[in-house]
Amino acid sequence: MTEHEARYPVPEHASARAWVDEETYRSRYAQSVEDADAFWLEEARSRLTWFTAPEIGSESRYTPSDVQVRWFADGELNACYNCIDRHLEDKADKVAIYWEGDNPDDHLSLTFAELHEKVCRFANGLKSLGVGKGDTVTLYMPMIPEALMGMLACARIGAIHSVVFGGFSPDALAGRIVDSGSRVVITADESLRGGKNIPLKENVDEALTRPGTEVVEHVLVVRRTGGSVAVNPRDCWYHDVVDPQSSECPPEPMNAEDPLFILYTSGSTGTPKGLLHTTGGYLLYAAMTHRDIFDVHDDDVYWCAADVGWITGHSYIVYGPMANGATSVIFEGVPSYPSHGRIGEVIDKYGVTILYTSPTAVRSLMAQGDDIMASSTRESLRVLGSVGEPINPEAWNWFYRVIGNSRCPIMDTWWQTETGGIMITPLPGATELKPGSATRPFFGIQPALYDNEGQELSGEAEGNLVIKASWPGQARTIWQNHDRFVQTYFSTFDNVYFTGDGCRRDEDGYFWITGRIDDVLNVSGHRMGTAEIESSLVAHEAVAEAAVVGFPHEVKGQGIYIYVTLNEGIQPTDELRAELVKWVRKDIGPIATPDVIQWAPGLPKTRSGKIMRRILRKIAADELDGLGDTSTLADPGVVDDLIEHRQSK
Ligand code: PRX
């Protein structure tokens, strides 16, 4: 048997105490789609604590003229209360967070009682800056407890948080501040990753020179490194504002459909979209998927190695684990610092039982060889998780064998910013695994494959992945742009949510995600619109036109390959190439760093002027046999030139 055909049955240690075994999965899944409202109302009432329990289930509909996603609309609750206060009765002294700094000597722990006190002060501090229910607050933070506390403090008073990943550039940050209309920005002096200081506050200062950012009245700054920062009239220190506050702050009762947060993500066109998630359905879905998919019990130590700037951080660092009263490790640093053994050492240090990470992290460690794990035993581990991109069987096997000591099942979880929580996934106590497959749908999720004409495909098939029927964690809209929400997700196919992913279903009904089918790249698990990178490049004075495509990359999954047409009279030099790389990094952020730039005197276009990306993708991937029909091109000759001058990677 090759490793691609390997199957891994449920290990006995996983089935012994799992929340969900195979029989439960089958019967509960059937109930969840046959009587969805009853199923979800029961889950909502039993897993969350409500001020007013809901009687209404879903009021969602996807008719082309009327797209609405609504759940539990008569329920009232507070997300922060569910994540902290309700645990105080029996878990006040349980550790909520083990924080591990970038430097291994830098660490602290916080119990639920301590967290409660700090979040209440933080919430009162925000109130003192004029933040109230329905206001938006932007967070641009390192991975420190104050990032989570800031999110929970917003939730406590009914403010809507918009977290912007700390690796984004000042321009990217400015765009998100303006779109969300935040009057308050929370940041830190600097963040610290891999021993390097990143000037977050300086980036905020630069962002706030951009047009439209005058709406910002206060910048609340946490002192992380003590690095020097400019102090402007709108700035205030976290310790000055928050420390003197009262440690009592009643949680604001929120309707289940009141907004909880906005999170920006890239699409195939235009600027990033602010996906809006609301309170009740999102929290239920995050809590339920977290407990059932990672099989979290009271004595577990759970570690999700993502950043709070992404949806994975929102659902599986903050809301899911905290709603479940779990003990989590929060990591500020990177897997390669001070050495490549760090992940294993952190696992041993805290006795981590569940590790949730990305294929990119696994591949970057795999490239260092098995020996890097010699500094740890990792014997506490029992469940592993993967997210963000397809995990190739080689990386799956290395993760399983080396990190997990061939003992821990891997949950390959497929989902998106838009879905709020995990959608297609194995369950530790129920699912036989096949490396590379996200396997089967979670409760209530009805995936289907459609061909390009909108016909549903049955049995073994490959096509466009859509989801029939709504689920509680689904994004409700795009902030201030419901038309774009409808257009992006509900106009390609009638009456279903379109994911933008391609997918294959095998003979056992297992799903294998094949990747994005639109012009969205997935670089190291980070989503990036080709249009964003292209518009950054054409803003450079030397560039006439640019086309961006992905190519297969050993560690990052996809790399960024750019074809650039220069303006008349501009010389294509190595210096210019380096300058353009720097330009994109500065404009969008280091995650968008181009891997390859090829000078293209012309781009392959149809007679109507549309760039044929299919051809550009093939050339970038060195797949020259499969170029297909080029006769419809306005000038087929440009293809030969591009092939001849393609760049090595
Ligand atoms: O293409 C899919 C890929 O990541 C996209 C969603 O990106 P984002 O909204 O940033 O959320 C990432 C974390 C949930 C999807 O459309 N993707 C995510 N998980 C997987 C995946 N592709 C294959 N397998 C996965 N497990």
Side-chain angles (χ1 to χ4, degrees), residues 312 388-390 412-417 501 513 516 522 527:
T312 307
E389 47 183 318
D412 177 357
T413 62
W414 175 84
W415 59 296
Q416 311 176 298
T417 306
D501 278 335
I513 309 296
R516 301 290 307 192
N522 191 329
R527 223 166 115 167

Side-chain angles (χ1 to χ4, degrees), residues 85 103 238 252 549 556:
D85 303 46
N103 180 327
Y238 170 85
E252 187 74 31
V549 297
K556 300 196 236 178

Side-chain angles (χ1 to χ4, degrees), residues 156-176:
R156 192 165 190 87
I157 60 174
I160 308 164
H161 57 72
S162 166
V163 182
V164 178
F165 174 57
F168 276 124
S169 69
D171 280 313
L173 172 63
R176 288 155 172 81

Side-chain angles (χ1 to χ4, degrees), residues 48 78-84 86-87 147-156 159-161 163 259-261 277-279 282-290 308 311-326 328 420:
L48 299 181
N78 181 283
C80 180
Y81 180 91
N82 274 274
C83 289
I84 304 179
R86 65 169 174 160
H87 306 313
L148 287 74
M149 284 159 27
M151 293 162 73
L152 291 166
C154 286
R156 192 165 190 87
I160 308 164
H161 57 72
V163 182
L260 181 60
F261 65 85
H277 285 283
T278 57
T279 308
Y282 170 80
L283 190 64
L284 169 66
Y285 199 70
M288 178 172 170
T289 47
H290 175 255
V308 287
I311 190 69
T312 307
H314 282 60
S315 302
Y316 300 111
I317 292 179
V318 182
Y319 289 108
M322 311 244 20
N324 290 329
S328 293

Side-chain angles (χ1 to χ4, degrees), residues 31-32 59 62 114 289 371-372 406 479 528 556 622 626:
Q31 194 209 345
S32 74
E59 297 169 296
Y62 297 162
E114 289 166 331
T289 47
D371 290 351
I372 56 162
S406 301
W479 182 247
M528 232 167 306
K556 300 196 236 178
D622 291 322

Side-chain angles (χ1 to χ4, degrees), residues 136-206:
T136 49
V137 173
T138 294
L139 287 89
Y140 184 66
M141 292 289 275
M143 278 293 291
I144 55 177
E146 286 79 2
L148 287 74
M149 284 159 27
M151 293 162 73
L152 291 166
C154 286
R156 192 165 190 87
I157 60 174
I160 308 164
H161 57 72
S162 166
V163 182
V164 178
F165 174 57
F168 276 124
S169 69
D171 280 313
L173 172 63
R176 288 155 172 81
I177 290 172
V178 174
D179 188 79
S180 66
S182 299
R183 285 185 291 119
V184 171
V185 176
I186 308 174
T187 190
D189 48 5
E190 298 176 314
S191 71
L192 199 54
R193 280 168 64 81
K196 287 197 207 91
N197 296 38
I198 299 145
L200 294 184
K201 170 62 167 58
E202 199 181 303
N203 288 352
V204 172
D205 290 345
E206 199 181 328

